[in-house]
Amino acid sequence: MRIARRATDVSLSVTLALDARAKALMAEGRDVINMSVGEPDFPAPAVVQDAACALIRSGNVRYTAAAGTLQLRGAIAKYLTDTRGAPYETKHVTVCHSTKHALSGAVLATVQEGDEVLLFLPAWVSYVEMVKLAGGVPVSVPSRADLGPDFDAIRRAIGPKTRVMLLNSPSNPTGYTWTRKEVEELAAIAVKHDLVILSDEIYRRLIYEGEPDFSPASVSAEARARTVILDGASKSYAMTGYRIGFVAGPPEIASAVERLHSHLTGAPNSVSQAGYLAALQTEPPEVAKMKAEFDARRHVLIPELLRMGLATPFPRGAFYAFADVSPYLDARGSAGFCEDLLEKGNLALVPGSAFGVDSHVRLSYALGVDRIRAACTRLGAFVAAHPRAPASTRT
Ligand code: PLP
């Protein structure tokens, strides 16, 4: 069968592929520690499970409106109004099957053939593919050494075809969380050059220290008018399998995404909408406990990495660390490093190449402290067995 070019050009998400390989080895009986996963290792809060079960048992599991139930859109609008310092209404919100779905809908609705989209490296795996699928041209912008934004590089990357910037704070894969000043600077650039900011705020509720996260939508009315917020329940409420998220922004973007999705996917899952609504209405106590646990793990993992000599900026948010393994890379780069580590060291990490930065690897700390310590022992033994390449020959 001939498969269309737009599909053959896309590879399977590296993180999902790695997770699958690690699980296959585990199924063979190997004691693999999987630090490649991007999902909280906690169950969804009880109130979510109850609401989902109650809807199923009511027998009333039906299509909803393509943009989601009015009740859920209202709850999301209230949450945004309370947290972004600007009024949101249901007309600003379209519920989607996930944040990934919200992102792809927003990209399809804002990127035209040939438009350039700025991606701040390291950038989450799916952004490049989404932009290309929409006919856009991804333009990678390198970061500072501490993995924060390099504004000179951002300004240099903007050309006549630039239309959109994709911001992700806190970031996957680094955990870097933009400061208020940095968000304000980006918003000013967007206003000056008439650019849209797609702001992926999925890790917003997982910030452990310093100033709270600050959205471009909170900067000013001008900035808000060009900001599209993408968020969902996966990381905030440990609801990855429920698949539910949203797009929020000016009414024209919310209704554009609704129109696209009304043909491509139809109404979001009504059971997951009921679960998400319950979570937003009650602020379940499990969420604060999950956050405290991630915070504690961060304080175990990063010092261990530093002790091994792997330069790793201390992440302020999300549940990832991004460690520099450049001294240990051969010609295969970070992919080869991760392959060997999995096959010989029984530890699954994600190569930085998946995020456009080949010198690093991503470690997820969505696993218990004992496993994190065991993983560090394995990684320490693996790097100790590798001769450090002299700086001049590093890739
Ligand atoms: N955006 C980022 C930065 C992510 O890391 C992820 C999931 O890993 C998503 C979006 C997608 O989340 P969802 O499960 O809601 O599709």
Side-chain angles (χ1 to χ4, degrees):
M1 184 192 294
R2 193 203 69 178
I3 302 297
R5 262 251 301 288
R6 81 173 65 81
T8 54
D9 283 355
V10 176
S11 50
L12 185 66
S13 156
V14 177
T15 43
L16 295 184
L18 254 157
D19 189 41
R21 175 72 187 140
K23 283 179 179 144
L25 289 175
M26 287 184 223
E28 286 170 15
R30 288 255 297 263
D31 170 31
V32 171
I33 302 181
N34 191 356
M35 291 184 101
S36 73
V37 277
E39 61 181 344
D41 53 323
F42 298 89
V47 73
V48 169
Q49 298 181 28
D50 290 346
C53 289
L55 185 69
I56 291 173
R57 290 212 187 88
S58 77
N60 194 26
V61 180
R62 303 284 172 208
Y63 291 141
T64 68
T69 64
L70 264 183
Q71 243 189 326
L72 178 56
R73 289 165 69 203
I76 292 167
K78 179 177 180 317
Y79 159 67
L80 292 172
T81 303
D82 292 347
T83 53
R84 268 54 166 202
Y88 279 83
E89 298 168 34
T90 51
K91 68 180 179 194
H92 298 111
V93 177
T94 288
V95 181
C96 304
H97 289 255
S98 61
T99 310
K100 212 171 228 186
H101 188 229
L103 269 158
S104 56
V107 168
L108 286 172
T110 56
V111 176
Q112 303 216 109
E113 200 69 32
D115 285 352
E116 292 185 0
V117 178
L118 301 193
L119 304 181
F120 307 130
L121 293 185
W124 182 55
V125 281
S126 296
Y127 295 151
V128 168
E129 301 300 344
M130 286 179 189
V131 169
K132 288 200 281 194
L133 278 168
V137 180
V139 174
S140 298
V141 183
S143 66
R144 301 189 308 247
D146 71 348
L147 304 174
D150 176 341
F151 283 101
D152 290 336
I154 293 173
R155 287 195 181 85
R156 275 198 304 275
I158 294 173
K161 292 189 176 163
T162 313
R163 291 281 173 273
V164 175
M165 302 193 280
L166 238 157
L167 169 66
N168 176 214
S169 172
S171 148
N172 176 3
T174 66
Y176 186 89
T177 305
W178 288 44
T179 63
R180 181 182 180 127
K181 204 164 153 280
E182 287 166 346
V183 173
E184 284 171 348
E185 189 161 351
L186 191 76
I189 292 173
V191 170
K192 178 171 172 201
H193 295 277
D194 191 19
L195 307 178
V196 168
I197 303 178
L198 299 183
S199 183
D200 179 348
E201 303 183 3
I202 189 164
Y203 295 101
R204 181 187 167 101
R205 293 200 186 200
L206 293 172
I207 296 175
Y208 311 107
E209 64 188 27
E211 58 184 11
D213 184 39
F214 189 69
S215 170
S218 311
V219 173
S220 64
E222 261 182 314
R224 187 180 163 216
R226 56 187 62 257
T227 299
V228 185
I229 293 175
L230 300 314
D231 196 353
S234 288
K235 323 287 175 171
S236 305
Y237 298 116
M239 287 174 63
T240 46
Y242 284 77
R243 314 306 301 132
I244 197 81
F246 66 84
V247 168
E252 59 273 22
I253 178 80
S255 66
V257 172
E258 176 187 7
R259 288 196 303 278
L260 287 171
H261 288 176
S262 73
H263 296 291
L264 291 174
T265 52
N269 179 325
S270 51
V271 174
S272 304
Q273 290 191 67
Y276 195 15
L277 177 65
L280 285 163
Q281 285 176 332
T282 56
E283 261 321 306
E286 292 95 326
V287 172
K289 285 192 195 136
M290 174 173 82
K291 186 172 164 187
E293 179 62 31
F294 279 138
D295 190 11
R297 293 171 183 180
R298 199 171 62 108
H299 286 285
V300 172
L301 176 61
I302 313 302
E304 288 279 355
L305 295 172
L306 295 175
R307 242 192 307 281
M308 280 173 226
L310 304 181
T312 312
F314 219 97
R316 244 186 359 109
F319 42 76
Y320 308 106
F322 203 54
D324 184 353
V325 292
S326 53
Y328 303 100
L329 300 183
D330 60 24
R332 296 169 303 152
S334 57
F337 180 94
C338 289
E339 212 178 293
D340 292 351
L341 182 60
L342 179 56
E343 302 300 334
K344 298 178 196 155
N346 288 323
L347 174 60
L349 307 183
V350 183
S353 54
F355 309 97
V357 175
D358 200 23
S359 47
H360 286 59
V361 290
R362 187 193 79 177
L363 303 94
S364 158
Y365 49 89
L367 71 176
V369 164
D370 288 351
R371 294 299 270 172
I372 291 175
R373 288 195 204 283
C376 289
T377 305
R378 291 179 193 189
L379 181 58
F382 183 80
V383 294
H386 270 66
R388 274 176 77 95
S392 58
T393 63
R394 281 176 207 164
T395 48

